[in-house]
């Protein structure tokens, strides 16, 4: 074996292809032949050949130049590649292939998949929320109660975790009803509380306030608490 020739081959380098394209080219609607053609186009562009001919591309594949031309036409039509103006160092104008549309399609697909996953997780979380409420109430929720739960999430913007925390406070307070839970959520929202951590801090601040104001409080029978005490931590 000619070691010099082998070293020459290795010195040609490698081509970097995102794994995400390898994993999802089928989801994008690309055939194996189109995928391989795009890889060769990418390789040509990296070598500085920005507008390879169908014959040059076909030479790297098991297709004829006419078949390669047809695939290029379809890739252009489907918006996977584009032809742009190219200006070299001597300001000579020509044409070049761009794979930018391919990368944009891949990003758009992945973003859509992430949104689907987030929506699926949200639906599972909301379903879990309904299950928790039914377990605590010991019965199926009424249509009105289901509508109230949906309103807390969709209209009021409360997270399922925060709603579960409010449910837990209602259970510990012995006031297991939707009106009391709604009051808790109303107070939290009024005070800008949107996370469990904020609710915990709110409870700590209230305890501190309660302790500092205790000597000046009226008798217990006359005292009216104006801020609900959300102490679901000490269970």
């Amino acid at each position: 074996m000619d070691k010099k020739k082998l070293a020459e081959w290795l010195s040609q380098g490698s081509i970097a292809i995102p794994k995400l394209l390898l994993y999802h080219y089928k989801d994008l609607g690309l055939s194996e032949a189109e995928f391989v053609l795009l890889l060769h186009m990418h390789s040509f562009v990296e070598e500085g050949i920005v507008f390879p001919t169908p014959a040059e591309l076909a030479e790297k594949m098991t297709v004829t130049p006419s078949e390669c031309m047809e695939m290029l036409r379809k890739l252009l039509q489907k918006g996977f590649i584009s032809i742009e103006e190219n200006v070299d160092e001597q300001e000579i104008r020509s044409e070049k292939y761009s794979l930018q549309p391919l990368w944009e399609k891949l990003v758009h697909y992945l973003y859509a998949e992430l949104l689907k996953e987030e929506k699926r997780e949200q639906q599972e979380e909301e379903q879990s929320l309904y299950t928790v409420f039914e377990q605590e109430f010991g019965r199926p929720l009424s249509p009105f109660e289901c509508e109230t739960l949906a309103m807390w999430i969709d209209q009021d913007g409360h997270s399922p975790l925060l709603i579960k925390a409010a449910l837990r406070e209602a259970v510990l307070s012995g006031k297991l009803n939707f009106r009391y839970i709604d009051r808790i959520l109303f107070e939290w929202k009024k005070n800008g509380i949107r996370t469990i951590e904020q609710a915990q801090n709110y409870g700590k601040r209230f305890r501190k306030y309660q302790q500092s104001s205790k000597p000046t409080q009226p008798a217990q029978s006359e005292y009216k608490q104006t801020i609900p005490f959300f102490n679901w931590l000490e269970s």
Side-chain angles (χ1 to χ4, degrees), residues 85-94:
E85 185 180 61
N86 181 58
V87 182
D88 62 18
E89 295 177 355
Q90 287 75 37
E91 297 188 358
I92 298 175
R93 298 180 183 276
S94 58

Side-chain angles (χ1 to χ4, degrees), residues 68-130:
C68 185
M69 172 69 81
E70 180 62 19
M71 282 194 290
L72 287 171
R73 186 188 66 80
K74 288 183 178 179
L75 289 172
L76 283 165
Q77 187 179 40
K78 293 190 291 186
F80 285 102
I81 60 175
S82 63
I83 298 177
E84 300 176 355
E85 185 180 61
N86 181 58
V87 182
D88 62 18
E89 295 177 355
Q90 287 75 37
E91 297 188 358
I92 298 175
R93 298 180 183 276
S94 58
E95 293 180 326
K96 68 176 181 179
Y97 284 118
S98 173
L99 297 181
Q100 185 64 26
L102 171 65
W103 309 131
E104 290 177 358
K105 278 183 176 291
L106 181 59
V107 169
H108 179 76
Y109 168 79
L110 295 173
Y111 181 69
E113 287 299 302
L114 284 175
L115 289 180
K116 287 180 184 178
E117 182 62 27
E118 288 177 2
K119 186 175 182 181
R120 186 160 47 245
E121 290 177 356
Q122 182 181 0
Q123 289 175 341
E124 291 175 356
E125 197 172 42
E126 290 177 8
Q127 185 59 44
S128 170
L129 179 63
Y130 282 81

Side-chain angles (χ1 to χ4, degrees), residues 4-227:
K4 271 191 174 182
K5 192 63 176 177
L6 180 58
E8 183 182 333
W9 288 342
L10 293 175
S11 68
Q12 292 178 1
S14 58
I15 180 172
I17 298 296
K19 283 186 178 181
L20 290 172
L21 179 60
L22 178 63
Y23 295 158
H24 298 292
Y25 74 88
K26 180 181 177 182
D27 299 319
L28 294 177
L30 291 167
S31 67
E32 275 76 12
E34 290 172 331
F35 174 65
V36 173
L37 176 57
L38 288 169
L39 294 186
H40 284 301
M41 291 179 69
H42 182 52
S43 177
F44 269 112
V45 170
E46 285 201 338
E47 291 173 5
I49 305 172
V50 296
F51 200 65
T53 65
E56 289 174 324
L57 290 164
E59 189 179 352
K60 305 291 184 181
M61 302 173 63
T62 58
V63 297
T64 64
S66 60
E67 290 173 332
C68 185
M69 172 69 81
E70 180 62 19
M71 282 194 290
L72 287 171
R73 186 188 66 80
K74 288 183 178 179
L75 289 172
L76 283 165
Q77 187 179 40
K78 293 190 291 186
F80 285 102
I81 60 175
S82 63
I83 298 177
E84 300 176 355
E85 185 180 61
N86 181 58
V87 182
D88 62 18
E89 295 177 355
Q90 287 75 37
E91 297 188 358
I92 298 175
R93 298 180 183 276
S94 58
E95 293 180 326
K96 68 176 181 179
Y97 284 118
S98 173
L99 297 181
Q100 185 64 26
L102 171 65
W103 309 131
E104 290 177 358
K105 278 183 176 291
L106 181 59
V107 169
H108 179 76
Y109 168 79
L110 295 173
Y111 181 69
E113 287 299 302
L114 284 175
L115 289 180
K116 287 180 184 178
E117 182 62 27
E118 288 177 2
K119 186 175 182 181
R120 186 160 47 245
E121 290 177 356
Q122 182 181 0
Q123 289 175 341
E124 291 175 356
E125 197 172 42
E126 290 177 8
Q127 185 59 44
S128 170
L129 179 63
Y130 282 81
T131 301
V132 169
F133 265 74
E134 289 183 337
Q135 289 175 345
E136 291 294 347
F137 278 76
R139 59 171 175 77
L141 299 180
S142 68
F144 175 77
E145 290 169 337
C146 291
E147 184 178 345
T148 301
L149 266 178
M151 181 189 68
W152 287 340
I153 296 171
D154 299 331
Q155 295 184 20
D156 298 336
H158 298 301
S159 70
L161 286 176
L162 206 61
I163 295 173
K164 287 179 183 179
L167 170 65
R168 182 169 173 78
E169 164 58 20
V171 171
L172 294 177
S173 301
K175 298 178 180 180
L176 187 56
N177 61 75
F178 270 71
R179 185 177 179 182
Y180 185 73
I181 297 170
D182 186 63
R183 183 63 184 175
I184 294 173
L185 292 171
F186 174 80
E187 289 292 333
W188 285 349
K189 186 173 184 179
K190 185 173 70 173
N191 287 275
I193 295 170
R194 291 189 171 275
T195 66
I196 297 297
E197 290 76 15
Q198 289 173 338
Q200 291 173 344
N201 291 333
Y202 181 78
K204 290 176 182 177
R205 288 196 303 270
F206 180 80
R207 284 193 291 272
K208 186 176 180 180
Y209 166 79
Q210 189 184 50
Q211 291 171 357
S212 64
S213 60
K214 189 174 181 180
T216 60
Q217 289 178 0
Q220 182 66 28
S221 60
E222 299 176 4
Y223 174 63
K224 292 184 179 180
Q225 185 173 307
T226 58
I227 304 176

